[in-house]
Amino acid sequence: MKSGYFPGCTLKTNAKHFEDSAMQVMEVLGHPLEEMENWICCGTVFSMTTDDLMLQLASIRNLLRAENQGYDELITLCSMCYNTLKRAKEFILNDEENLRKVNDFMYKEDSKFKGTTDVVHLLSILKDRITFEEIKNKVTKPLTDLKIGAYYGCLLVRPKELAIDDFEDPTIMEELVDTLGGEGVVFPYRLECCGAYQTIIEKDVTVKRTYEIINSARNAGCEALITSCPLCAFNLDQRQKETSEEFLEFSTMPVFYFTELMAIALGLKWNKDWKKLHYIDPVPLLKEKGLI
Amino acid sequence: MPKNVPMVKVYILGEGFDVPEGSTIISALEYAGFQLTVGVGCREGFCGACATLYREKGDYKLQAGLACQTVVTDGMNIAQIPFVPAEKPIYDINKLDPDIEAFKTIYPILFRCVGCNTCTKICPQDIEVMDYVQALIRGDIAKAADLSFDCIRCGLCALRCPAEIVQYNAAILARRLTGKYLLPNSPDLEARVKEIAEGLYEKKLQKLTKSDTETIKKQYYDRDIKTV
Ligand code: SF4
Ligand code: SF4
Ligand code: SF4
Ligand code: SF4
Ligand code: FES
């Protein structure tokens, strides 16, 4: 089984700390990530327009290139890449006419798209392949006394055909937090939409969502959130600036990529550069808990 | 021209002409009587002025090439694209950093790329155009500069792009930023630029501008070219 890693653009820019921490974590767990060559943007969001195949090409081209590079599966960290690649693959493979058109169009690639490469999210690899017991054995600095809310958003669990866990009541991320010695807290708004791209055209919509989601987490006792999507992270972390301005009684909360906390628990050094990519400074909380 | 050169038929803007076999598109155009004032420059495949669309006999596919480098075939249909009025924003390179922010501000259109690869298919220089656009989208400026190095700015990629991106102008920004900020400084180059700025070639150039065409031609053909 040959696994490739599909980064996606945001992991190379605004979410560099997501990639860095994941790379280091996987190294420690004995499954280093191998980046595929010549990848392009995944297409950003799965298009539900059924007759505009142009919008599926980016995803399919990535999968085809991965196929040609001999990968049986592509591992993604970004929930959005996971969702987009996986849905595009199903959409094209399940329709002979679409498959033929897309292959005709991509005649410059080395071969035709067959759909032999699976798309898998890193969380599934951690749970099913490496297993949480194994990870637990490697924890050297447990997240003792740290109450973490797992924010799933929509893309990991919807539509249900590609959900990485129960699509209405997932527990995979809370289990991971428990594995790391912390306390995974279930809070009501963990599957609510964060407002996604409304953040660009209707910023206020996401500000309101952020307010509701973070308050919901705080009321349930969370001290920080984890996510696996750069867009959720942007809305929940960066948008706390506007949220604080709009709602005066709002109190802020750090937002992590789940791999950052894994890195800490596995005894890796907290990288000072990661802090710069957070809007709400997570350092005071980590210090308070004696984690850095 | 020697006698009995075999001729081929080409169609220029739809009109048929007989031209000598083995001509480039440029020489075919001139043989057919067109006087080229635009759409030609170096005649050596470097300047990018001669982008041309053509279709070969019996083929459905529109192809593109440099008129000075592409040899005509019998039944070829030809139309030159002498100029592409593509967007070319003005910026101050000293105020930019070599990162993704520069491209978000100056070429936000890049982020519309759908990964169709149409630009790569058309590029007469065989550049991986889509891949340099994608490198820019993820902030890998040096990679984009490297991949686009052979670009001669013919503009065909922009003409074909369904997302209306101006790939080649964005690529030049990538190469400028790379040259200015990412590559190591060359002390030799700096010394050379200083020498020239101080007037090293001033006299020679003045003499040259005053010479007549014949003298210049003679000097050009007699020039001493160092081969490595
Ligand atoms: S969805 Fe976002 S992170 Fe994923 S590849 Fe596209 S732009 Fe990059
Ligand atoms: S990249 Fe575009 S402008 Fe440059 S040579 Fe290729 S087609 Fe022409
Ligand atoms: S033609 Fe335009 S949209 Fe298509 S790959 Fe090239 S830059 Fe992207
Ligand atoms: S593929 Fe060609 S004909 Fe079809 S919609 Fe696109 S531009 Fe039009
Ligand atoms: S005339 Fe300069 S490239 Fe053809």
Side-chain angles (χ1 to χ4, degrees):
Chain A
M1 162 83 87
K2 193 174 165 203
S3 303
Y5 157 52
F6 178 85
C9 346
T10 314
L11 281 272
K12 295 288 178 190
T13 52
N14 294 348
K16 191 78 188 100
H17 50 327
F18 190 7
E19 171 172 82
D20 279 358
S21 52
M23 290 277 200
Q24 293 180 23
V25 161
M26 293 305 277
E27 194 79 44
V28 171
L29 294 176
H31 290 253
L33 293 175
E34 176 182 313
E35 182 172 328
M36 72 171 280
E37 274 174 45
N38 291 344
W39 58 272
I40 62 172
C41 171
C42 68
T44 324
V45 70
F46 176 72
S47 162
M48 306 228 245
T49 326
T50 49
D51 56 358
D52 190 347
L53 295 180
M54 203 64 124
L55 298 172
Q56 309 297 341
L57 283 174
S59 293
I60 300 300
R61 192 182 306 283
N62 279 312
L63 292 169
L64 172 57
R65 288 181 173 185
E67 245 167 65
N68 287 335
Q69 289 166 31
Y71 291 114
D72 303 299
E73 66 181 10
L74 268 192
I75 303 174
T76 73
L77 308 187
C78 166
S79 319
M80 176 101 62
C81 299
Y82 169 73
N83 195 283
T84 309
L85 291 171
K86 193 136 178 147
R87 287 170 88 177
K89 175 179 165 180
E90 295 312 315
F91 175 67
I92 297 298
L93 274 187
N94 290 336
D95 185 317
E96 252 176 60
E97 178 74 3
N98 285 344
L99 182 62
R100 186 183 56 72
K101 279 190 183 167
V102 162
N103 273 326
D104 275 357
F105 188 84
M106 297 196 299
Y107 65 86
K108 280 263 181 175
E109 297 289 338
D110 293 344
S111 70
K112 291 204 181 288
F113 174 62
K114 294 181 286 297
T116 51
T117 303
D118 275 341
V119 182
V120 200
H121 193 273
L122 181 68
L123 282 164
S124 307
I125 301 279
L126 293 173
K127 181 170 180 176
D128 305 333
R129 188 110 17 109
I130 299 175
T131 75
F132 287 165
E133 290 83 77
E134 178 63 25
I135 297 176
K136 196 170 192 162
N137 291 336
K138 298 221 160 104
V139 169
T140 57
K141 199 185 267 178
L143 309 177
T144 315
D145 194 26
L146 187 58
K147 297 188 184 61
I148 298 287
Y151 179 73
Y152 290 84
C154 350
L155 298 165
L156 288 178
V157 285
R158 277 169 244 168
K160 73 166 186 268
E161 294 72 36
L162 58 72
I164 63 166
D165 196 1
D166 188 295
F167 78 108
E168 282 181 323
D169 187 20
T171 52
I172 183 168
M173 285 213 267
E174 286 86 355
E175 284 168 45
L176 176 65
V177 174
D178 295 345
T179 302
L180 303 174
E183 189 184 327
V185 181
V186 171
F187 68 102
Y189 274 51
R190 65 201 179 111
L191 301 182
E192 287 294 308
C193 171
C194 68
Y197 285 107
Q198 293 293 343
T199 203
I200 300 164
I201 27 180
E202 290 267 6
K203 192 158 66 180
D204 291 349
V205 173
T206 44
V207 169
K208 188 134 188 295
R209 301 309 288 161
T210 301
Y211 176 74
E212 284 165 353
I213 292 166
I214 295 201
N215 274 349
S216 157
R218 186 166 311 281
N219 292 339
C222 304
E223 295 165 291
L225 290 181
I226 52 169
T227 172
S228 85
C229 171
L231 185 54
C232 304
F234 181 84
N235 284 343
L236 294 180
D237 185 14
Q238 251 80 4
R239 284 281 175 254
Q240 287 191 52
K241 176 175 187 286
E242 289 84 356
T243 310
S244 306
E245 288 161 9
E246 173 104 18
F247 301 94
L248 295 177
E249 86 297 357
F250 176 75
S251 71
T252 60
M253 180 181 284
V255 178
F256 292 96
Y257 289 109
F258 65 95
T259 47
E260 289 178 276
L261 292 184
M262 290 187 76
I264 294 175
L266 294 174
L268 292 160
K269 206 167 145 8
W270 164 262
N271 183 333
K272 289 210 179 71
D273 291 338
W274 298 351
K275 183 187 133 159
K276 294 184 209 141
L277 294 162
H278 285 260
Y279 177 71
I280 302 298
D281 185 357
V283 170
L285 177 66
L286 295 174
K287 283 210 167 125
E288 183 198 318
K289 302 286 171 180
L291 292 170
I292 57 171
Chain B
M1 174 171 319
K3 281 204 180 103
N4 302 327
V5 174
M7 304 295 270
V8 293
K9 176 80 120 208
V10 297
Y11 299 87
I12 299 168
L13 298 173
E15 191 182 344
F17 295 92
D18 293 316
V19 299
E21 188 182 84
S23 317
T24 61
I25 294 178
I26 290 259
S27 14
L29 287 164
E30 287 173 335
Y31 186 89
F34 289 85
Q35 196 188 2
L36 302 176
T37 51
V38 286
V40 63
C42 66
R43 294 170 188 259
E44 298 280 0
F46 283 116
C47 74
C50 63
T52 300
L53 285 180
Y54 64 88
R55 192 172 56 77
E56 290 186 292
K57 191 163 149 183
D59 196 358
Y60 65 88
K61 202 185 288 177
L62 280 180
Q63 304 195 61
L66 298 175
C68 68
Q69 302 298 302
T70 311
V71 172
V72 293
T73 54
D74 189 45
M76 190 186 250
N77 255 288
I78 297 166
Q80 274 206 293
I81 313 279
F83 180 69
V84 179
E87 189 207 16
K88 213 159 120 189
I90 308 269
Y91 46 78
D92 180 350
I93 193 95
N94 296 306
K95 296 196 180 119
L96 297 175
D97 290 322
D99 61 21
I100 194 162
E101 293 307 321
F103 292 88
K104 279 190 191 158
T105 328
I106 296 173
Y107 289 106
I109 189 83
L110 284 170
F111 296 86
R112 269 168 63 173
C113 173
V114 293
C116 67
N117 215 27
T118 309
C119 46
T120 303
K121 284 180 188 167
I122 198 82
C123 177
Q125 290 290 89
D126 286 335
I127 292 170
E128 302 285 352
V129 188
M130 175 185 72
D131 292 84
Y132 79 59
V133 169
Q134 288 290 330
L136 289 177
I137 291 177
R138 56 177 186 257
D140 196 344
I141 317 295
K143 174 96 186 260
D146 188 39
L147 286 175
S148 69
F149 193 79
D150 288 333
C151 170
I152 51 169
R153 310 180 44 70
C154 68
L156 285 164
C157 49
L159 280 180
R160 274 268 168 132
C161 176
E164 291 117 7
I165 295 169
V166 281
Q167 300 90 332
Y168 62 111
N169 283 343
I172 235 189
L173 174 56
R175 295 198 298 280
R176 284 178 178 148
L177 288 170
T178 305
K180 186 167 171 64
Y181 297 109
L182 302 175
L183 296 178
N185 282 345
S186 150
D188 291 344
L189 178 67
E190 277 163 22
R192 189 69 169 154
V193 169
K194 187 158 170 276
E195 259 176 18
I196 295 172
E198 283 166 357
L200 180 66
Y201 292 112
E202 226 28 63
K203 269 203 190 121
K204 280 189 184 171
L205 268 174
Q206 271 168 17
K207 201 172 145 208
L208 196 67
T209 46
K210 286 189 195 113
S211 328
D212 58 47
T213 318
E214 281 316 306
T215 324
I216 296 178
K217 269 191 184 164
K218 188 171 173 340
Q219 279 184 18
Y220 181 78
Y221 288 111
D222 291 349
R223 73 197 189 279
D224 186 15
I225 301 177
K226 284 202 186 75
T227 42
V228 197

